[in-house]
Amino acid sequence: MGLKTFLYDCHVTAGAKIVDFGGWDMPIHYGSQLEEHHVVRRDAGMFDVSHMTIVDVAGAAATEFLRYVLANDVARLNDNGKALYSALLDEKGHVLDDLIVYRFSDWYRVVVNCATREKDLNWLHLQAKNYDVTVKERPELAMIAVQGPRALEKVAKTVDSGAQAVIESLAQFQAGESGDLMYCRTGYTGEDGLEIILPGDQAQGFWQALLGAQVQPCGLGARDTLRLEAGMNLYGSDMDESVSPLEANMGWTIAWEPLERDFIGRKALEAQKQSGIPSTLVGLVFDGRGVLRAHQKIIAENGIEGEITSGSFSPTLGVSIAFARLPVAAQGGLDVDIRGKRQPVKLTRPPFVRNGKSMIKED
């Protein structure tokens, strides 16, 4: 028996297949992972993401604290509700986790992964000792992601006029509050949509209202193929404490300016840039027989070997796609080893799909 979200009973009633995910009993699908994937690309689907860890940071030194703890710079968040994607690093410049931080008038909300909850909280509390700041987990909150080209339209049908006005006002990567609910125009699928943070005791009622608006429940299986198509890293597969953001295709999340801002891991990242980055995370496309899977070996024409970090069949593209960690010394064409047979794969730059359209550009 694992941990259960406020929506667990809704999943069981809907006939979901429940699996363990980071210690939580979560729906992997409700009958058809493929159908759930397509409904997000074409209409609107919803995910229970209440297993994510929500942390509020407040206090006189909240901004100063987050500018030191995160590789990206929260000083860039000039408007109320604006959001920022960042890595949480250790002193070696390795990725402890990835997260989204939202800024409000005098406090911040941080959303981190579920499997890294204890590690992240310990790390944040340890660093907070030197600042006038409070770090408070919010386990009483639930989180529902509604994603797809009709997501905003369908959510608006379920809320009052005040919340509708908030939703209509949101730019991409911005959040707004209405009553007890926080509407965040963010997501993990490559589609437009909302992530709604709400009190746990309201979660089932909101879920039922979304069902009434013809929003289809979707499981973590579809969430994984959607995020892979969208070119979004998965912590524990595409990045972890063994690599830096520079090796995980996350260099764009590091705010090097201003030069005087120190942050945890900065010195190590600067040293790595100077000495040379040993490997990169690349995108692969494969239209042969078989499916690209994590840990399959990639062999370059010059004999240098890499490894797939996550891969799957892409329902939108009809081919297999993957992320692979490839030493920078690899040159020439690439093969994948599938059950002892080498087959050619094509290098591409993620994302693979954005807003339902193919983004594949062969290098």
Side-chain angles (χ1 to χ4, degrees):
M1 296 287 285
L3 298 168
K4 294 176 174 55
T5 73
F6 295 101
L7 291 163
Y8 176 79
D9 290 343
C10 294
H11 305 320
V12 173
T13 300
K17 180 180 180 181
I18 303 293
V19 299
D20 172 75
F21 185 82
W24 291 81
D25 288 343
M26 298 296 293
I28 189 72
H29 63 70
Y30 297 80
S32 172
Q33 177 178 330
L34 190 63
E35 181 184 339
E36 292 161 22
H37 180 106
H38 287 315
V39 81
V40 173
R41 288 278 179 252
R42 299 166 181 168
D43 190 81
M46 59 179 169
F47 305 85
D48 176 13
V49 286
S50 305
H51 58 308
M52 304 285 284
T53 305
I54 300 170
V55 182
D56 288 348
V57 178
T63 300
E64 182 186 359
F65 168 69
L66 289 173
R67 294 191 78 201
Y68 178 64
V69 169
L70 302 181
N72 214 335
D73 189 357
V74 296
R76 293 176 169 182
L77 300 175
N78 295 320
D79 297 329
N80 195 44
K82 288 296 289 181
L84 189 76
Y85 177 66
S86 181
L88 187 70
L89 306 178
D90 62 16
E91 290 90 347
K92 296 178 181 177
H94 292 168
V95 183
L96 293 173
D97 203 0
D98 66 326
L99 57 84
I100 292 181
V101 56
Y102 303 90
R103 178 175 189 166
F104 291 92
S105 58
D106 58 354
W107 61 284
Y108 295 86
R109 174 157 289 169
V110 181
V111 180
V112 303
N113 288 298
C114 72
T116 54
R117 171 190 170 275
E118 185 175 354
K119 176 182 68 174
D120 291 354
L121 288 172
N122 288 342
W123 182 253
L124 291 172
H125 283 298
L126 176 65
Q127 304 305 325
K129 289 180 179 177
N130 299 320
Y131 293 86
D132 180 10
V133 67
T134 60
V135 175
K136 182 180 180 182
E137 186 185 10
R138 302 295 304 276
E140 75 277 18
L141 298 177
M143 190 168 173
I144 299 171
V146 186
Q147 299 281 291
R150 298 188 65 193
L152 272 65
E153 165 197 335
K154 290 196 170 185
V155 173
K157 291 180 179 178
T158 70
V159 298
D160 61 27
S161 58
Q164 288 176 10
V166 169
I167 293 169
E168 290 173 3
S169 71
L170 296 178
Q172 294 286 346
F173 247 64
Q174 184 177 21
E177 296 176 284
S178 179
D180 295 332
L181 277 65
M182 178 173 155
Y183 299 89
C184 315
R185 199 168 175 187
T186 51
Y188 194 51
T189 63
E191 295 292 335
D192 199 359
L194 295 167
E195 294 177 305
I196 302 134
I197 298 174
L198 69 168
D201 59 7
Q202 298 181 32
Q204 290 197 11
F206 198 84
W207 186 268
Q208 293 300 328
L210 290 168
L211 283 174
Q214 307 301 309
V215 180
Q216 182 171 323
C218 302
L220 297 180
R223 187 170 167 82
D224 190 55
T225 51
L226 289 160
R227 73 90 196 165
L228 181 60
E229 288 185 348
M232 296 178 180
N233 287 11
L234 175 66
Y235 191 82
S237 296
D238 307 311
M239 59 186 166
D240 55 28
E241 293 180 52
S242 69
V243 298
S244 78
L246 300 172
E247 298 167 87
N249 200 22
M250 295 170 63
W252 62 275
T253 69
I254 303 168
W256 299 104
E257 302 285 346
L259 295 175
E260 60 271 21
R261 181 179 74 98
D262 189 22
F263 60 85
I264 298 174
R266 177 168 191 142
K267 291 181 177 60
L269 293 180
E270 288 175 339
Q272 188 179 56
K273 280 182 69 178
Q274 190 165 12
S275 63
I277 302 165
S279 63
T280 57
L281 193 71
V282 301
L284 300 176
V285 177
F286 175 59
D287 57 7
R289 298 187 63 180
V291 178
L292 300 181
R293 300 292 187 193
H295 308 302
Q296 288 172 339
K297 186 186 299 183
I298 300 297
I299 309 107
E301 195 170 320
N302 64 348
I304 299 295
E305 295 183 356
E307 183 181 84
I308 289 178
T309 54
S310 59
S312 181
F313 179 78
S314 163
T316 303
L317 300 172
V319 296
S320 195
I321 59 175
F323 286 135
R325 179 149 294 109
L326 202 62
V328 294
Q331 294 182 355
L334 299 173
D335 287 342
V336 59
D337 184 326
I338 300 180
R339 293 187 292 276
K341 183 178 179 181
R342 288 177 57 160
Q343 301 188 60
V345 291
K346 299 172 184 174
L347 195 64
T348 190
R349 186 173 296 116
F352 305 93
V353 175
R354 182 59 49 88
N355 294 322
K357 306 295 183 185
S358 173
M359 299 290 288
I360 291 177
K361 296 176 181 176
E362 295 180 15
D363 287 344

